[in-house]
Amino acid sequence: MKAVTVTSPFNLDSVQLTEVKDPGQPAKGEIRVAIKASSLNFHDLMVATGAMPVEDSRILLSDGAGIVEAVGEGVTEFRVGDAVVSTFFPQWAAGKATPAVGGFAHTPGDGVDGLASEVVVRPVNAFTPAPAGWSHTEAATITTSGLTAWRALVVNGRLKAGETVLVQGTGGVSIAALQLAKAMGARVIATSSSDEKLAMVRKLGADDTINYRTTPEWGDKVLELTHGLGVDHIVEVGGPATINESLKAVKVGGHIAVIGVLSGTDAALSIFSILAKQVRIEGLIVGSRQDQIDYVKALELMAQKPVIDKVFSYERLGEAFAHLQSGQHVGKVCVSW
């Protein structure tokens, strides 16, 4: 069968379509899934370019959606023909994060082979049901970016109607967070370096927008827009380049969900600002399988589909990564067979 792997030296030119052995039929507690689509994430890009060390010839991608082709002995949760979507941490069933999810040893496309494959055989906990009525491409956006937004705002953030949320940029997590926040009755402020992209997020429901290139101290603008109070929640994807503006923009007693390292991994923080704002700064990586099940149920009620920027074929995964790397996208970049 076909799969897309990355080989040494790790770069986008080393992302290649190849032939691998079919995994066969599922054993006890496993299911066989025909993968139809995947979405791309910054984490996947880091793997493909060697920033996240992995084994040579690793099958790529953490996100995948498809159809159950066979079920192993004892499997009652899924039936042949069910539409399913992968989980980022298959070993994390529910509850708080544990040491087992403090790294990526069991994450598809990183510690183990990923979903850029025509067929996979995995334990049942490696998948959840997909939202009813969603295409495979739409469902493939859930695993990483969608679930991260859900955990940041709902599970950890305990978002309430009437609160204000700030989202940074127009990537997958930020757009999912925007849609989720609006569905739950929140006000949304969005930032971007592109006026064209800001016009797009206004069409998606953003109440206020800020161009951070023309307004580099955008935290002050956020305070102006909120009458000096600041926002209740910030989905912080930028990292070192944005965290201090986020501290300026957040409300006293507010919540910053740190989920991205787009500008690096080391930041100089103002401890005084943290103390004065009495802010809750919370790091998170995706969520549990139960979180995903809950999110899927919510999505079925929201009547709001994900924003998909562009769909490539799996054979063009290297080009899809280059498009993601360019930052020109709004929403998710996906691939399909």
Side-chain angles (χ1 to χ4, degrees), residues 10 14 37 46 60 85 92 129 207 214 244 264 309 323:
F10 291 92
S14 299
M46 292 174 74
L60 293 163
V85 57
W92 187 6
D207 300 279
T214 57
N244 281 296
D309 181 88
H323 183 60

Side-chain angles (χ1 to χ4, degrees), residues 231-233 250-256 277-281:
V231 299
D232 298 279
H233 305 273
V250 74
K251 180 181 289 186
V252 173
H255 169 231
I256 300 176
K277 286 293 183 80
Q278 301 183 56
V279 64
R280 177 162 57 102
I281 301 177

Side-chain angles (χ1 to χ4, degrees), residues 20-252:
V20 298
K21 184 179 179 180
D22 187 286
Q25 293 304 302
K28 183 177 181 179
E30 294 181 335
I31 57 175
R32 177 183 168 98
V33 178
I35 300 297
K36 302 298 184 182
S38 296
S39 72
L40 277 57
N41 303 285
F42 188 65
H43 181 98
D44 299 308
L45 178 62
M46 292 174 74
V47 170
T49 55
M52 302 284 289
V54 296
E55 291 183 7
D56 202 24
S57 299
R58 172 65 76 220
I59 298 176
L60 293 163
L61 302 185
S62 59
D63 298 8
I67 294 287
V68 176
E69 288 191 333
V71 300
E73 180 187 349
V75 174
T76 58
E77 188 172 349
F78 298 112
R79 298 179 180 179
V80 172
D82 283 352
V84 294
V85 57
S86 64
T87 56
F88 190 88
F89 288 121
Q91 75 279 27
W92 187 6
K96 294 182 178 181
T98 68
V101 295
F104 306 107
H106 303 283
T107 297
D110 191 324
V112 298
D113 280 333
L115 283 302
S117 179
E118 288 185 302
V119 176
V120 299
V121 172
R122 302 284 163 86
V124 291
N125 59 358
F127 288 91
T128 70
W134 281 37
S135 71
H136 298 304
T137 305
E138 290 166 344
T141 67
I142 290 172
T143 299
T144 302
S145 62
L147 185 57
T148 297
W150 172 262
R151 184 176 168 212
L153 293 180
V154 179
V155 180
N156 292 1
R158 301 182 289 278
L159 177 66
K160 298 179 179 65
E163 292 186 327
T164 303
V165 175
L166 183 138
V167 298
Q168 299 174 347
T170 56
V173 176
S174 297
I175 294 297
L178 163 62
Q179 292 180 302
L180 181 59
K182 293 306 299 179
M184 296 185 67
R187 175 188 179 188
V188 175
I189 300 173
T191 69
S192 173
S193 62
S194 163
D195 287 336
E196 182 181 0
K197 289 182 177 180
L198 290 175
M200 295 176 71
V201 296
R202 283 194 292 271
K203 290 181 180 179
L204 292 172
D207 300 279
D208 298 283
T209 56
I210 303 170
N211 186 317
Y212 65 78
R213 193 174 300 280
T214 57
T215 310
E217 294 189 354
W218 50 264
D220 292 327
K221 183 63 176 179
V222 171
L223 292 176
E224 178 187 327
L225 290 169
T226 56
H227 307 289
L229 294 177
V231 299
D232 298 279
H233 305 273
I234 297 178
V235 181
E236 169 57 63
V237 303
T242 54
I243 186 64
N244 281 296
E245 288 301 308
S246 289
L247 277 170
K248 189 188 299 180
V250 74
K251 180 181 289 186
V252 173

